[in-house]
Structures are given as structure tokens and as C-alpha cells.
Amino acid sequence: MQLLRKRDREGFMVDAKSLQSDGFAEFDTACRSMDLNGKKSFVAIPERSGAGSEVRSRATVPAIVRVALEDLKCFEVVEHQFAHWGVTFTNAVAIQPSNPAFFTGSAATVLMGAPKSGLIEVSFKYPVRSVSGLVTSSRRTVLSACDIDGNPIVQDEMPAPNLVGSNSPIAPRAPLRVKAPNIHRITFYAFDGQLVVDDLIFGF
């Protein structure tokens, strides 16, 4: 895979740097919490034992949750590590890109679509109202959201590639965001290109 070969919308404006701060108070073993602009905000930490209890019921609604991709291991297949938040992934692997075209920061862990290129799917047991992520892709990319029956309800689009060092008018790590009631599944799709996603955030 070439990627590994070389080493604001209203109501959902989140300061990703503040969410990544080291000053989080411990909430429990499955998440860290803080207050952000009057909303309860959490960092969801991966749980690999399968014994973690669900923390969604403890969250104060409305709540914003950032998925702690930085706590995943490089080349770890990502599926049920965040199931305690009711979140599961399909076709996702955690990597630290070595290909300069996808390098988004020092030692940054991101999600890559694999084994199928250009596709990452996230399913929510509990409906969410907003989802966002920062995307770097070799092709036009669409973030689409569906309801519980699989009906498309909203989407956002990055109309062109935005690889690092390219002449694209779109900077790397471009934000894609969707907002609607009762989102149960979202898909990042790059039309058989290659993409990575970081700073994945969702809101109840």
C-alpha cells in the first residue's frame, strides 16, 4: 500500500487543540471529561479488554466526544475499541503515516481506510447529532450520514484531493462535518483513493 511504503458549522464548533490538552480530569478508565463552552465534553479512550461498561448513559446531554486516536497502537485494526461509547468502526486501521503526502504532524496517529482503500465507516448504537473529522485524501471525499434504516440524511464534501505538498487549493487535514438528528452511521468515502482521518469528534 503506497500510504505505508515510505516512512465552522453552527452548533458544532470545537477547538480541537483544547480537547487535546493534557489538563483533563479523569472521569473513569474509559474516558476523560471536561467542560467546553457550557457543554460536557469527553475524550473516549480505547478499551481492549471487552469488559468495559458503557459510559454513554453517564454523559450529560448535550455532550461532545473526541475519539482518542492517539491512544491506539500503530497498525492496530480499529473495530470495537470504543464500543463502550456505542461506537464501532468498519474498514479502519490506525497508522502513523510515513508517506510525506499523508504526514499530518509529528507522531500523529490517524485512521486509514483498509483493507479497502478510501473507505471508513463508523456506526453509532446511540443516535448522534453531529460528526466531524479532519481529512487528507488523494481524491475527492464525501462524508455521508445515514439514519437507523440506512437512509442518507446529510453529507459534506471535499471537492478535490488535498495531499501534503500538492498544488491543491485545499489544505491537508480539511474539516468535514455533518449535523442532523438521529445519525446512526457515517461513511468517509474517497472513491477508491486513499484517505486518512484524524480528530474524529461526535456530539449527542
Side-chain angles (χ1 to χ4, degrees), residues 38-125:
K39 293 185 178 181
K40 198 68 175 180
S41 301
F42 300 92
V43 178
I45 303 169
E47 168 61 58
R48 299 179 179 85
S49 69
S53 60
E54 289 195 0
V55 298
R56 163 64 181 88
S57 60
R58 303 178 216 168
T60 302
V61 178
I64 294 170
V65 181
R66 182 177 69 82
V67 180
L69 301 181
E70 66 275 13
D71 289 346
L72 295 168
K73 300 175 182 178
C74 193
F75 304 116
E76 181 176 356
V77 175
V78 185
E79 293 178 321
H80 303 292
Q81 290 90 329
F82 302 94
H84 51 287
W85 273 101
V87 179
T88 57
F89 291 79
T90 302
N91 198 67
V93 175
I95 65 165
Q96 294 176 1
S98 55
N99 185 333
F102 292 89
F103 185 73
T104 59
S106 177
T109 301
V110 300
L111 293 180
M112 178 185 72
K116 178 177 174 58
S117 294
L119 174 69
I120 297 174
E121 184 176 285
V122 187
S123 299
F124 301 95
K125 179 178 179 181

Side-chain angles (χ1 to χ4, degrees), residues 16-34 40-46 55 63-71 82 84-85 200-202:
K17 289 184 179 179
S18 69
L19 283 175
Q20 291 172 349
S21 116
D22 292 331
F24 291 106
E26 287 297 323
F27 183 65
D28 58 20
T29 58
C31 67
R32 297 183 290 263
S33 69
M34 65 177 293
K40 198 68 175 180
S41 301
F42 300 92
V43 178
I45 303 169
V55 298
I64 294 170
V65 181
R66 182 177 69 82
V67 180
L69 301 181
E70 66 275 13
D71 289 346
F82 302 94
H84 51 287
W85 273 101
L200 183 64
I201 298 170
F202 60 92

